[in-house]
Amino acid sequence: KDEYFRVSNGNLVHDEYVPFTDCLLGCKRTIKTIDGKERTIEIPELTSDNTRYTFDDVGMWGKPYTVFIKHELPSKLTKKQKDLLKELNETITND
């Protein structure tokens, strides 16, 4: 067992928890690979929860390594944060 990696259906998997604001705005994240190295992934703006990145060259058992992007929500919001989110919500269009 490992706190960073897990196995799902015989595939090596990592869940990368990213603040939802970074998923909205875009960011870069450094992830570990099973061989002890690191890779940087670029998360584009408006990245959906459970977006999958697959690396064919660093998996195990001849299967790819998969990283899932998981939206991380704050545990509480300040009044200012709520007001900013309400303001943002009024300007969003879902074309």
Side-chain angles (χ1 to χ4, degrees), residues 89 91-95:
N89 194 45
T91 65
I92 291 177
T93 60
N94 291 316
D95 298 342

Side-chain angles (χ1 to χ4, degrees), residues 14 25 35 48 53 63 65 72 75 85 90-91:
H14 168 66
L25 298 170
D35 59 5
S48 299
Y53 289 82
K63 295 186 176 184
Y65 171 41
E72 187 173 52
S75 58
L85 286 169
E90 291 171 4
T91 65

Side-chain angles (χ1 to χ4, degrees), residues 72-83:
E72 187 173 52
L73 299 175
S75 58
K76 57 184 170 178
L77 296 171
T78 65
K79 181 180 180 338
K80 181 178 180 179
Q81 290 168 326
K82 286 180 189 179
D83 291 342

Side-chain angles (χ1 to χ4, degrees), residues 32-44:
K32 291 192 252 178
T33 59
I34 195 70
D35 59 5
K37 296 180 182 173
E38 295 180 337
R39 291 269 176 103
T40 299
I41 55 175
E42 190 159 333
I43 299 170

